[in-house]
Amino acid sequence: MELLLIRHGLPIRRELTEGIADPELASEGISQAELLGEYLAAEHLDAVYASSLQRARQTAQPVVADRGLELRIEPDVAEFDKDSSEYVPV
């Protein structure tokens, strides 16, 4: 068995005064996700999991596209500060 762990593509910066910052991917992050989907296209995958964070789901979407796989959301797998009101990409 082989397990691939992949971090999400580059998200936008989001700083809120209230609520949870759950930023979407920046245009560069969308390109990264599309390239990931192309890179893994020839690989056999039994399942694809992502955290409930928007950036993780968006990164995984091109990987499951055209495969007949359902993206499985795992809410307990996320960054420790997932409920923070700000997200500053590094």
Side-chain angles (χ1 to χ4, degrees), residues 8-86:
H8 57 75
L10 181 69
I12 64 167
R13 179 183 184 127
R14 179 159 294 149
E15 297 174 83
L16 306 174
T17 55
E18 295 181 4
I20 297 172
D22 183 12
E24 66 274 8
L25 292 179
S27 59
E28 184 178 345
I30 292 169
S31 295
Q32 292 168 338
E34 290 169 352
L35 287 170
L36 175 65
E38 292 172 18
Y39 180 75
L40 294 175
E43 296 293 325
H44 172 76
L45 301 176
D46 293 311
V48 178
Y49 290 83
S51 80
S52 59
L53 296 171
Q54 187 172 202
R55 57 193 174 267
R57 294 190 323 265
Q58 286 181 302
T59 300
Q61 197 56 51
V63 176
V64 297
D66 302 325
R67 287 182 178 264
L69 287 176
E70 176 185 342
L71 178 57
R72 300 178 187 189
I73 303 303
E74 183 52 58
D76 291 333
V77 175
E79 297 168 4
F80 73 94
D81 60 349
K82 70 180 178 104
D83 295 327
S84 176
S85 61
E86 61 182 38

